[in-house]
Amino acid sequence: MFFIFSKRGKRMSWQVLGISCMLGLMMVLAACGSSGTATGSNSGGDVKATVAAPKDLITGGTLTVGSDTTYPPQEYVDTASGQATGFDVDLITEMGKRMGLKVDVKKANFDTIIDDLSSKRYDVVISAVTINPDRQKKAQFIPYFNAGQSLLVQKGNPDHISSVKDLCGKKVGVQTNTVEFDALTAAKKDCTAAGKPTITLTVLDAQTDVIQLLADKRVDATYQDSPVTDYYLKLNPGQFEIGGAITDQAPEGIVVRKDDTEMFNALKAAYDAVKKDGTYDKLFDKWQLNSAQKVN
């Protein structure tokens, strides 16, 4: 079952607000404490393998995928099945089908996910990883999603937060090692340079825990990718709203080891096949994502 955030500070005081709402959020909350392996389930229907699978796999016949499954709607854990789900999981599962491979999604730590890929803990990573120059020094990317950054605040926006520039003197939650964390770190310096109070950051490993800070009113805002903000707005109508406009739109990419050409080519061909046959568009519809976030 699922719970909706209440206005009280403790998780034990959450109230059940209907079966459908309960089912929606518990999947999110389960991601906070889930560990071990989650297997992405197929979305239905037999698909003929049309792409040659890479040979250098951790486990023969299986694509082992690293993903920080605390970032809905792109990746999280369904408590009913114990399996990873979300747009990213569905996409990589469909790509696996085109190569004739099963897909095994391993719960990863976002802070070390690219280094762990380089160490061959995974064959590939899909985890809402924004492509930037620093990350491109370590790995190569297949762009598949466009996401911006946005602030989530309490309903009514009592602190009148419309941009990062309004956060001086405020308490803000953010996930570790994200582009939003980098932006907030820079904003803290700007506050100090302007002689304003600093931003007090609470930095956590799981995005679900970051949102819980706002639900408990322990922070004034959270900063994350725009689809994540949209997801929590849908789950908690009347409790949160967006603080200002979406900014800094940038592509996210499927991550492949720097010199693994065979893996890259196979995944790119599988991705192209999923786009060509319309599955990519269908997944956007399934997860109610903004079509502006598609990669053309």
Side-chain angles (χ1 to χ4, degrees), residues 21-22 31 46 48 88 115 140 151 200 229 235 253 262 293:
C21 292
M22 289 165 59
D46 294 329
K48 182 179 179 180
D88 287 2
D115 290 336
Q140 51 189 332
L151 289 157
T200 301
T229 300
L235 277 183
E262 183 186 35
Q293 294 167 330

Side-chain angles (χ1 to χ4, degrees), residues 64-68 104-108 113 122-127:
T64 302
V65 180
S67 188
D68 172 19
D104 185 15
V105 179
K106 301 284 189 180
K107 187 178 186 303
I113 198 167
Y122 321 116
D123 294 316
V124 63
V125 160
I126 188 167
S127 194

Side-chain angles (χ1 to χ4, degrees), residues 30-184:
C32 300
S34 176
S35 62
T37 301
T39 303
S41 59
N42 292 343
S43 60
D46 294 329
V47 175
K48 182 179 179 180
T50 57
V51 176
K55 298 181 178 63
D56 187 19
L57 296 169
I58 294 172
T59 302
T62 298
L63 187 68
T64 302
V65 180
S67 188
D68 172 19
T69 51
T70 71
Y71 214 67
Q74 290 178 260
E75 43 264 327
Y76 62 100
V77 173
D78 178 353
T79 51
S81 65
Q83 294 181 341
T85 190
F87 172 81
D88 287 2
V89 175
D90 280 355
L91 178 61
I92 200 70
T93 299
E94 291 294 337
M95 289 169 59
K97 290 180 185 180
R98 273 65 180 177
M99 296 182 287
L101 299 175
K102 297 179 180 178
V103 171
D104 185 15
V105 179
K106 301 284 189 180
K107 187 178 186 303
N109 183 334
F110 192 81
D111 195 40
T112 60
I113 198 167
I114 294 180
D115 290 336
D116 290 340
L117 173 67
S118 298
S119 299
K120 296 192 175 182
R121 289 189 62 183
Y122 321 116
D123 294 316
V124 63
V125 160
I126 188 167
S127 194
V129 180
T130 300
I131 302 171
N132 62 33
D134 286 341
R135 289 169 177 165
Q136 286 176 309
K137 293 176 183 177
K138 294 184 175 182
Q140 51 189 332
F141 293 83
I142 300 169
Y144 71 98
F145 193 87
N146 286 313
Q149 302 170 18
S150 56
L151 289 157
L152 190 66
V153 299
Q154 296 290 345
K155 186 68 176 179
N157 198 359
D159 294 307
H160 307 291
I161 296 169
S162 61
S163 74
V164 172
K165 294 180 180 180
D166 297 327
L167 296 176
C168 298
K170 305 301 182 184
K171 294 178 288 185
V172 184
V174 68
Q175 187 181 29
T176 183
N177 204 34
T178 57
V179 291
E180 288 83 11
F181 171 75
D182 294 339
L184 290 172

Side-chain angles (χ1 to χ4, degrees), residues 178-198:
T178 57
V179 291
E180 288 83 11
F181 171 75
D182 294 339
L184 290 172
T185 301
K188 285 186 65 172
K189 295 178 181 178
D190 291 341
C191 292
T192 301
K196 298 179 180 180
T198 190

